[in-house]
Structures are given as C-alpha cells and as structure tokens.
Amino acid sequence: MPYIEERVSTVETDIAEIKDRLGVIERSVGNIEKTTAVMRDDVAELKAGQIEIRDLLARVVARLEGV
C-alpha cells in the first residue's frame, strides 16, 4: 500500500501545483485585460486628436483659400 499512498500524494501535489499555476495565469490574464483597456483608451484619444488636427487644418486651408 505504500506505493499507492505515494502515488496519491504525488497526484495531490501535482494538483496543488496546477492550481497555483492557474492562479498565476488568471492574474496574468487580468493584467493583460487592464493593459488592453489602457491601450484602447490611448488609441481612442489618438483618434480624437487626429480628428481635431484634421478639422483645424481644414479651417486653416479654408482661410488661406478665402473660403
């Protein structure tokens, strides 16, 4: 029976290790989601800035053309 007890102990240890690794993966995914949200916000700000610059440039060109 010691062999079976040793195998059960090994399996229990492996399960605990897998649970720990899953915890690390879950935290990593959470960090990736936060980073993605920040990048998405940054891209939205860049797009808004680009639109604003485009509109300002269009007004400058219109004034230069006398419109």
Side-chain angles (χ1 to χ4, degrees):
M1 288 298 215
Y3 174 76
I4 292 175
E5 290 172 357
E6 182 181 325
R7 294 294 293 160
V8 168
S9 176
T10 301
V11 169
E12 289 173 343
T13 302
D14 290 347
I15 290 171
E17 213 174 288
I18 290 168
K19 285 181 180 180
D20 289 342
R21 289 182 182 184
L22 284 174
V24 170
I25 291 169
E26 287 174 342
R27 286 188 295 278
S28 296
V29 168
N31 290 336
I32 290 169
E33 288 173 344
K34 288 178 186 175
T35 302
T36 302
V38 169
M39 287 190 304
R40 186 176 45 244
D41 293 345
D42 289 347
V43 168
E45 286 181 30
L46 287 169
K47 285 181 179 179
Q50 180 184 11
I51 291 168
E52 186 176 343
I53 290 170
R54 183 195 65 204
D55 292 345
L56 288 171
L57 183 59
R59 280 191 249 153
V60 168
V61 169
R63 281 189 183 175
L64 289 174
E65 292 178 346
V67 176

